Amino acid sequence: MRNKAPRLLFVVNIPRFFLSHRLPLALAACQAGFDVQVATSDSDPAALQGIAEHGFPCHPIKLRQHGLNPLLELRTLHALWALYRRIKPDLLHHVSIKPVIYGGIAARLSGCDKVVQAMSGLGYVFVNPSLKAKILNRLCEPAFKLALGGEKTRTIFQNPDDSQLFIERGLADRHKTLVIRGSGVDETVFRPRDENQDEQPVVLFAGRLLMQKGIGDFVEVARRLRGKARFRVAGYEESTSPLNVSASQLHSWEAEGLIEWLGARDDMPSIYADSNIVCLPSTYGEGVPKVLIEAASCARACVTTDTPGCREIVRDRVNGLLVPRHDIAALTQAVKRLIDNPTERMKMGTAGRQVVLAGFTLRQVVNETLRLYDALLESESS
């Protein structure tokens, strides 16, 4: 029996991501008796205020999502080390690559031995074919080994492909890794609704406006299928990313009549309800794309790439269609197939809902994570 509430510190690269992907877990941990606190970038005051309004003590730190200026990165590492020494967390939960590496190293230096390392995807470094990305990939290897090597460190991957990659490369030990598929979705909020019966179906792209998320390929499909469907984009810029697609580019595509840009939206259940097909031709290092989980939960058929993470939630010809990455012809053919066959896409949508209920609900993800927390804390007395 616990004598006091164990202090759980989340470390997340950007505060907006904490609110969109980790807030339900933090609230559940609070209800389970944890003293939950959050450390994240100081770059978004509005999101920081949102975290504070949920009652979580928030520790803004100088943490840049992108960029590798050595002095600035060392500053981040030192800030995390100093924070851990000051608040003495019983359990750390790092989310995404920079917090995993810097937070993991800071934890070992500060004596915080119970660490959950959550790889929410492999991102730019592991999938970008550029020479810079390949060099960074190799440079990261010793850092990952150090950050993931603690005896009471456990690493969560969102799909088995990523887990196997880290194990095969010797970056993580098999007995200290587990797969928890995605961030979960509240199936009572993201629920099925009848498709709209407009003359033209609506094909939706949703997510961050990054070229490797497939927005360029999506627009090319819209160009090739002009007049057969309406193509909508719901998303927001990530201006600090080298992969960012600017708002001016979205406006240009909209002016051509190729897409309708909805901007950043916080009413996604209604956006899915007004869509017939969800298309995410991502080549990014996805964990499990939340957009695809939400779409499946809303009983919408999906078209996506046959890549790690995407194929974890979309099963080819069951609840959607998988195509090779960067294959515009195959992507166009898949989207057209679902445009032309409403009965098939609705059948796929029904199957997608069952896929989510079987393994991707918020309740399941939260329960698996809380069990991991308890196991690590119980190891203190073992």
Side-chain angles (χ1 to χ4, degrees):
M1 192 169 188
R2 295 170 183 162
N3 296 322
K4 65 179 182 66
R7 178 163 294 166
L8 167 63
L9 178 65
F10 283 92
V11 184
V12 184
N13 54 0
I14 48 176
R16 183 186 65 239
F17 181 86
F18 174 82
L19 291 171
S20 63
H21 287 70
R22 290 295 183 271
L23 179 60
L25 173 59
L27 291 170
C30 224
Q31 292 178 343
F34 286 84
D35 166 18
V36 178
Q37 302 189 22
V38 181
T40 186
S41 167
D42 61 358
S43 63
D44 188 345
L48 289 171
Q49 180 62 30
I51 294 172
E53 287 173 357
H54 282 92
F56 300 122
C58 194
H59 307 278
I61 55 175
K62 297 292 183 183
L63 172 59
R64 300 189 310 157
Q65 185 180 7
H66 305 288
L68 286 172
N69 181 300
L71 291 178
L72 296 179
E73 303 309 295
L74 283 173
R75 180 186 63 180
T76 299
L77 178 60
H78 180 269
L80 290 170
W81 172 82
L83 177 64
Y84 298 171
R85 296 269 294 181
R86 178 165 58 85
I87 71 170
K88 296 180 173 55
D90 298 289
L91 182 63
L92 287 160
H93 188 141
H94 302 132
V95 183
S96 75
I97 288 179
K98 277 195 176 182
V100 162
I101 291 177
Y102 299 157
I105 294 171
R108 300 194 74 172
L109 292 174
S110 61
C112 298
D113 63 339
K114 298 175 187 64
V115 182
V116 174
Q117 302 279 48
M119 296 292 296
S120 54
L122 301 189
Y124 166 83
V125 171
F126 281 85
V127 300
N128 192 287
S130 70
L131 178 61
K132 177 183 176 182
K134 290 178 180 178
I135 292 171
L136 288 175
N137 192 323
R138 289 303 175 188
L139 290 175
C140 283
E141 285 193 357
F144 271 121
K145 289 178 181 179
L146 180 59
L148 305 181
E151 185 58 35
K152 294 180 182 177
T153 294
R154 298 295 179 268
T155 304
I156 297 173
F157 294 94
Q158 293 194 355
N159 65 71
D161 297 270
D162 292 352
S163 175
Q164 189 61 29
L165 174 65
F166 266 58
I167 291 168
E168 288 178 352
R169 288 176 58 171
L171 306 181
D173 295 333
R174 186 181 299 275
H175 74 280
K176 293 192 291 185
T177 67
L178 68 160
V179 174
I180 298 179
R181 298 186 292 179
S183 302
V185 64
D186 186 341
E187 76 279 10
T188 66
V189 174
F190 292 88
R191 64 186 189 278
R193 300 184 192 179
D194 292 339
E195 281 197 12
N196 69 67
Q197 299 302 314
D198 294 345
E199 184 176 342
Q200 288 189 333
V202 172
V203 184
L204 174 70
F205 174 98
R208 291 180 292 161
L209 300 177
L210 302 176
M211 189 56 72
Q212 285 189 295
K213 285 280 190 177
I215 180 65
D217 291 351
F218 178 85
V219 173
E220 179 58 29
V221 170
R223 191 185 305 276
R224 296 186 183 193
L225 297 179
R226 187 196 293 261
K228 295 185 178 295
R230 298 166 64 187
F231 289 80
R232 289 179 178 163
V233 175
Y236 54 88
E237 283 192 82
E238 195 166 281
S239 57
T240 60
S241 171
L243 310 175
N244 183 60
V245 178
S246 68
S248 62
Q249 179 63 72
L250 269 292
H251 286 306
S252 176
W253 285 327
E254 190 170 39
E256 284 188 68
L258 298 174
I259 63 166
E260 302 167 29
W261 184 30
L262 308 180
R265 301 295 291 261
D266 58 6
D267 58 340
M268 288 308 298
S270 65
I271 300 298
Y272 294 121
D274 290 338
S275 305
N276 303 84
I277 301 159
V278 173
C279 178
L280 184 75
S282 179
T283 60
Y284 194 71
E286 304 281 3
V288 179
K290 193 175 183 185
V291 164
L292 296 179
I293 304 174
E294 291 174 347
S297 187
C298 291
R300 292 299 180 258
C302 300
V303 177
T304 189
T305 47
D306 188 7
T307 54
C310 294
R311 61 173 170 252
E312 189 69 12
I313 176 63
V314 177
R315 288 81 191 272
D316 191 37
R317 292 177 288 181
V318 176
N319 64 313
L321 297 173
L322 295 176
V323 300
R325 67 178 78 194
H326 297 308
D327 190 333
I328 300 294
L331 182 65
T332 303
Q333 184 179 18
V335 173
K336 185 177 184 299
R337 172 176 166 175
L338 295 185
I339 290 172
D340 293 341
N341 294 280
T343 300
E344 181 180 28
R345 71 173 181 253
M346 285 188 277
K347 182 179 178 181
M348 287 181 174
T350 300
R353 174 72 176 181
Q354 296 308 309
V355 169
V356 170
L357 295 179
F360 291 88
T361 67
L362 182 60
R363 180 180 61 257
Q364 291 163 326
V365 169
V366 165
N367 287 343
E368 287 181 60
T369 308
L370 290 179
R371 283 197 294 270
L372 175 59
Y373 291 169
D374 288 338
L376 282 173
L377 291 173
E378 288 168 6
S379 69
E380 187 168 15
S381 59
S382 61

